[in-house]
Amino acid sequence: KLVALKAALAPEAERRGIRLSYTPIFVKVVVQALKENPYFNATLDMERGEILLRRYYHIGVAAAIPEGLVVPVVRHADRLTLTAVAAEVNRLAEGARERRLSPPELSGSTFSITNFGSFGGLQGTPIINPPEVAILGVGRIEPKAVVVDGRIEARPMLPLALSFDHRLDAWFHVDIKK
């Protein structure tokens, strides 16, 4: 369904002069998931022993450059349309490649997405971008053999990996007991 959705939306985005990759779709899906699971859109305050839930959605999108990895931030991703997110992701990626992003464009994220599929990776273990508590790693969509109604079919499969700070889980359970 994800592949079909992108294929259906891409022509309209192109008519608007915007290249639509999977990343903006992932950003919008992640925002919805964060609204339903707010503890992943948080920061741990170790000194005060508190979980600070964020009410805004600044999504970091990891971008590889020759010197390493940078994480430009799509601010208020919940307020943007899919095409606006796509335009912003494209602008930030270009700015990262050209090394012209400002420090505010590279900081303040509340959750990050890294796409190890963009450089051929199928699986990976994403590393949390502090002070965030979680990050989603996305692999390459590839056809895989799956069983459908007792038959083997090739279907596009998307490997995902979620890394989160295990202390969040411990604190969350403590909060429930109070």
Side-chain angles (χ1 to χ4, degrees):
K1 290 181 181 180
L2 177 65
V3 173
L5 176 65
K6 180 183 174 283
L9 296 175
E12 177 58 28
E14 284 182 26
R15 277 193 287 281
R16 296 178 185 200
I18 300 168
R19 185 180 82 76
L20 180 65
S21 67
Y22 285 105
T23 300
I25 298 170
F26 297 149
V27 169
K28 293 303 282 184
V29 169
V30 159
V31 166
Q32 186 59 42
L34 293 174
K35 287 180 177 184
E36 294 173 19
N37 301 280
Y39 283 90
F40 287 107
N41 195 50
T43 301
L44 297 179
D45 183 335
M46 299 303 291
E47 289 183 20
R48 296 177 67 185
E50 294 179 348
I51 300 171
L52 306 172
L53 300 179
R54 301 298 181 203
R55 293 191 176 128
Y56 49 90
Y57 303 90
H58 296 343
I59 308 301
V61 179
I65 60 172
E67 296 80 15
L69 199 63
V70 294
V71 185
V73 180
V74 178
R75 297 195 181 288
H76 301 290
D78 59 318
R79 299 180 189 171
L80 302 175
T81 64
L82 179 62
T83 53
V85 170
E88 183 67 354
V89 166
N90 293 340
R91 183 190 75 77
L92 291 167
E94 182 179 322
R97 283 190 300 275
E98 295 175 0
R99 288 154 199 74
R100 60 176 168 76
L101 295 179
S102 65
E105 291 172 303
L106 296 167
S107 63
S109 55
T110 61
F111 185 93
S112 289
I113 301 170
T114 185
N115 185 344
F116 40 82
S118 63
F119 51 87
L122 294 177
Q123 298 178 347
T125 303
I127 299 172
I128 299 167
N129 183 25
E132 298 169 20
V133 297
I135 183 172
L136 177 66
V138 181
R140 181 191 297 185
I141 298 173
E142 288 193 331
K144 298 286 182 188
V146 295
V147 178
V148 179
D149 296 326
R151 296 182 328 270
I152 296 176
E153 292 183 15
R155 292 274 177 101
M157 301 300 288
L158 172 65
L160 300 173
L162 178 69
S163 294
F164 66 94
D165 189 322
H166 69 280
R167 295 171 298 182
L168 180 69
D169 184 52
W171 286 6
F172 182 70
H173 290 300
V174 168
D175 288 345
I176 290 174
K177 293 178 185 172
K178 289 182 179 179

